């Protein structure tokens, strides 16, 4: 149980284009999902907290207009990197917390974004 | 500022050795401490600790939390090459359930 699927696993795009990343909880309902960014050999940095049916809460320094988050259902959250630039190249990982259980976050496999 | 510090940053051991990984923290509004194993991509959940002094065990892995001294350790006995990974410590803070991660300990187990 507690499987989180993230898609795509790898994406290459041109500078200026937008990229959407999906995060799905496959076998549980996730009222809260989290989006992280991980630079090489560094730890996970929380970008935003996504709550189903409401606006995401962004961490300090994260641009809301650049990283659009939508949590339209209890099993799906999306992160859209708008007008991507090379400095947005990174590893993005989502996690989901199951409603009514211990606050354990289960992670997706991550998406490697390369912006040319 | 909330802080989670792991040590050592990296470690190379021989198969069969026992290792201890450390995690110390300074946070406001502590709720729990979690350990994850990250091999190539997704961190996989190992343990969640909320109470001091109660050891959690799963096979060759065990972990304990000291809320007075603000640290946790993760022990791996009889290490195997499959234990090679980055081990992440995270502290859950506040009612929003946000996790603050340490930088991780990179463990390499050699034959």
């Amino acid at each position: 149980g507690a499987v989180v699927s993230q898609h795509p696993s790898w994406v290459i795009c041109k500078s200026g284009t937008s990229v959407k990343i999906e995060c799905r909880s496959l076998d549980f309902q996730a009222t809260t999902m989290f989006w992280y960014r991980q630079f090489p050999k560094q730890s996970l940095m929380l970008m935003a907290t996504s709550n189903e049916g409401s606006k995401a809460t962004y961490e300090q320094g994260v641009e809301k207009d650049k990283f659009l988050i939508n949590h339209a259902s209890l099993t799906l959250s999306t992160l859209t990197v708008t007008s991507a630039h090379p400095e947005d190249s990174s590893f993005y990982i989502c996690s989901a917390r199951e409603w009514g259980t211990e606050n354990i976050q289960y992670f997706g496999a991550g998406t490697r974004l390369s912006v040319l | 500022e909330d802080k989670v510090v792991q040590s050592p940053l990296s470690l190379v051991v021989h198969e069969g050795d026992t290792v201890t990984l450390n995690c110390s923290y300074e946070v406001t509004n502590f709720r729990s401490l979690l350990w994850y194993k990250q091999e190539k991509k997704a961190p996989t959940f190992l343990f969640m600790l909320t109470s001091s002094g109660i050891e959690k065990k799963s096979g060759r892995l065990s972990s304990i939390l000291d809320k007075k001294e603000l640290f946790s350790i993760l022990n791996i006995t009889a290490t195997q090459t499959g234990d090679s990974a980055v081990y992440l410590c995270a502290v859950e803070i506040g009612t929003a359930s946000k996790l603050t991660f340490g930088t991780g300990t990179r463990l390499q187990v050699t034959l």
Side-chain angles (χ1 to χ4, degrees), chain A residues 5-12 19-23 35 79 91-92 109-113, chain B residues 41:
Chain A
S5 170
Q6 190 172 338
H7 179 80
S9 57
W10 188 29
V11 57
I12 302 174
V19 172
K20 181 186 279 189
I21 303 169
E22 290 188 353
C23 181
W35 288 95
L79 168 69
F91 191 57
Y92 295 87
T111 298
R112 182 157 305 284
L113 171 64
Chain B
K41 292 184 177 178

Side-chain angles (χ1 to χ4, degrees), chain A residues 38 43 59 103-105 108-109, chain B residues 36 41-42 92 97-98 101-102:
Chain A
Q38 187 175 33
S43 194
E59 294 301 298
N103 289 331
I104 298 169
Q105 291 183 26
Chain B
Y36 289 87
K41 292 184 177 178
E92 183 191 4
S97 299
K98 296 198 296 186
F101 280 84

